[in-house]
Amino acid sequence: MDKTELNELFSKMNTGDKLAFSRIYSELKQPVFTVALRIVTSRELAEDITHDVFVKLFVSPPDACVKNARAYIFQMARNLAIDALRKKPCDNIDELALKAKDSIAPVDTRLDIEKAISLLSRDEREIISLRLSAELSFADISRIIGLSLPAVYRRYRKAINVLKTSLS
């Protein structure tokens, strides 16, 4: 779903089209969950955050002044995840291996990837998730997390190198 289509769906939601919300939910629930999971590292908490994101979108969809609806959604997911971390002490339960059921990668490969991702700092996991799962540009990620564009890119490249090294 591209930026224009997503903005059109939000416009339809503002006029009461519930089918538009359903389409947004089905397209973005997994990437929102993944971004939340990378930040909070708890499957249950990530599910709650994903639920909260879409409830807020349903109750109060963004208006036409939002230029990038996709970035808006992932900014909301990130903010809710960080708020959840502030409210609840980290349990350090490693549930990253419990990914989506529809993943096509073999279990051992997913476990290797999740183990490698767990080596990254929270900021690096966040940048990787926003770039790969949410498919946001570096400029959007920069605005969301409040770092300069070069800093985001450097951290992304560093994280990718850590993952490559860990997986090879």
Side-chain angles (χ1 to χ4, degrees):
M1 178 180 309
D2 67 5
K3 192 186 297 188
T4 307
E5 186 178 4
L6 189 57
N7 285 336
E8 288 174 11
L9 289 172
F10 276 126
S11 294
K12 289 180 181 179
M13 276 181 60
N14 281 320
T15 62
D17 187 345
K18 302 216 182 335
L19 213 53
F21 173 79
S22 178
R23 181 131 182 263
I24 292 169
Y25 177 76
S26 67
E27 290 280 330
L28 295 178
K29 70 180 173 187
Q30 189 60 45
V32 167
F33 172 78
T34 302
V35 167
L37 180 63
R38 295 283 187 252
I39 295 170
V40 299
T41 69
S42 164
R43 184 176 178 82
E44 291 82 16
L45 191 53
E47 288 171 350
D48 290 345
I49 291 165
T50 302
H51 172 76
D52 291 347
V53 166
F54 287 103
V55 166
K56 287 181 182 219
L57 284 175
F58 185 79
V59 171
S60 176
D63 55 19
C65 70
V66 173
K67 292 180 180 162
N68 187 340
R70 188 175 187 86
Y72 176 86
I73 291 169
F74 288 101
Q75 174 75 52
M76 186 186 314
R78 177 186 182 269
N79 290 346
L80 288 172
I82 290 171
D83 288 347
L85 285 178
R86 288 180 184 143
K87 291 178 187 172
K88 183 178 178 185
C90 183
D91 295 333
N92 290 330
I93 298 173
D94 185 17
E95 297 184 20
L96 291 174
L98 301 173
K99 276 189 80 168
K101 295 176 185 174
D102 59 342
S103 177
I104 58 173
V107 173
D108 57 340
T109 303
R110 287 195 322 247
L111 291 174
D112 289 343
I113 292 168
E114 296 305 329
K115 184 177 179 184
I117 288 173
S118 72
L119 298 173
L120 302 174
S121 70
R122 192 191 93 207
D123 288 344
E124 292 167 338
R125 286 193 315 264
E126 191 175 337
I127 291 169
I128 290 289
S129 293
L130 290 171
R131 179 71 177 157
L132 301 178
S133 297
E135 300 174 1
L136 295 177
S137 69
F138 288 112
D140 288 336
I141 295 168
S142 172
R143 282 190 293 277
I144 289 172
I145 65 175
L147 290 174
S148 70
L149 186 59
V152 168
Y153 185 74
R154 277 193 310 273
R155 288 184 186 191
Y156 176 79
R157 295 301 318 154
K158 179 184 172 218
I160 290 295
N161 288 333
V162 168
L163 293 175
K164 282 181 185 177
T165 303
S166 177
L167 293 171
S168 57

